[in-house]
Amino acid sequence: MSHVKKLSPLLTTHTIPSVPLRYRGVWRRTLLEAADVYDVATNVLWMQTSRWHADLRIPALRPDFSQVDSLAACNHEQLMWLAQQQGFAGVTEVDFASQAEICRWHRLVDFRPPAATPDAGCMTFEPTQLVETGVHAEYLEHWIRLSDTESGFAVFKYDSDTSRPPRLLLIAGDAVMHVRARPTDWPAELPPDFDMMQLDDTALRMMLD
């Protein structure tokens, strides 16, 4: 962990209050139900600190990458699998203004093209799980919090260097997530919710980070 010495505490805006303690930690998704979707196989981990979150979503059936060291070396199957991954980070806001408790994830870093609708869910804490239902889309997700992640939170950023994408280090108990933004922005003409699976291999190699 000697590299941590090169980090400095990340100062966040105070316009968004800290999220309640019950949200903080690392959550694993155990279920997703949506239109024509029933998913219990994708490995989804959501880390929540007092304000910042990081989310990683890795599809099942990962191809063999043992002989691959670059995007240029990926075949079609590998590129398609990479295009299905998701990863994002940003600031979390919990809204108590309505009858439902609404959690809003303001994404500042995203592996995928921008979404057409905000990321928000109605949250219900049950004795053994957290239940999320969609605000702007119909879906149901179940989450369980991982042990040893409910205390000991920190967020760091690498020393400022405008020539490189911003990088963050989020810590929750025994868990760590490293976040690096894309080195280049998405094309301005890219429509919201663009499906990278539509691209051919050459275009995918250019769009994937």
Side-chain angles (χ1 to χ4, degrees):
M1 295 290 290
S2 59
H3 62 282
V4 175
K5 295 179 181 179
K6 299 179 181 179
L7 306 178
S8 57
L10 180 65
L11 300 177
T12 62
T13 175
H14 291 277
T15 58
I16 296 179
S18 299
V19 303
L21 286 171
R22 62 182 177 275
Y23 279 92
R24 303 181 198 179
V26 177
W27 298 83
R28 182 185 297 278
R29 194 180 75 188
T30 59
L31 171 69
L32 166 64
E33 288 185 355
D36 301 320
V37 176
Y38 180 86
D39 183 5
V40 295
T42 302
N43 185 18
V44 180
L45 294 169
W46 157 34
M47 178 182 287
Q48 182 63 56
T49 66
S50 61
R51 285 188 177 86
W52 286 82
H53 68 262
D55 192 297
L56 181 65
R57 307 187 175 203
I58 303 175
L61 305 177
R62 182 181 188 273
D64 179 17
F65 284 88
S66 59
Q67 303 301 315
V68 176
D69 60 4
S70 68
L71 283 173
C74 288
N75 60 31
H76 178 75
E77 179 189 12
Q78 293 162 338
L79 290 170
M80 288 292 103
W81 185 86
L82 289 172
Q84 296 177 65
Q85 291 187 116
Q86 297 184 55
F88 55 89
V91 179
T92 306
E93 176 184 12
V94 180
D95 182 1
F96 302 98
S98 61
Q99 290 185 342
E101 186 170 310
I102 298 176
C103 195
R104 307 182 193 278
W105 296 272
H106 302 286
R107 301 185 184 187
L108 304 178
V109 174
D110 204 337
F111 176 76
R112 301 288 292 273
T117 57
D119 189 0
C122 295
M123 315 301 280
T124 302
F125 285 82
E126 297 183 349
T128 60
Q129 65 183 1
L130 171 59
V131 177
E132 175 187 345
T133 54
V135 172
H136 303 287
E138 292 189 9
Y139 68 82
L140 168 70
E141 289 182 318
H142 289 174
W143 301 87
I144 58 171
R145 185 159 49 187
L146 303 185
S147 60
D148 300 322
T149 68
E150 299 177 16
S151 63
F153 304 105
V155 181
F156 299 88
K157 73 177 182 67
Y158 282 77
D159 292 335
S160 178
D161 182 349
T162 57
S163 67
R164 296 182 178 180
R167 290 187 295 167
L168 307 175
L169 190 71
L170 281 69
I171 300 171
D174 291 343
V176 176
M177 281 196 179
H178 176 220
V179 177
R180 177 183 60 78
R182 292 172 53 85
T184 57
D185 293 332
W186 292 105
E189 66 276 10
L190 202 68
D193 286 334
F194 180 77
D195 184 4
M196 290 192 293
M197 303 287 286
Q198 302 174 15
L199 300 173
D200 61 24
D201 290 2
T202 299
L204 267 177
R205 291 189 177 94
M206 295 176 62
M207 295 286 278
L208 286 170
D209 181 4

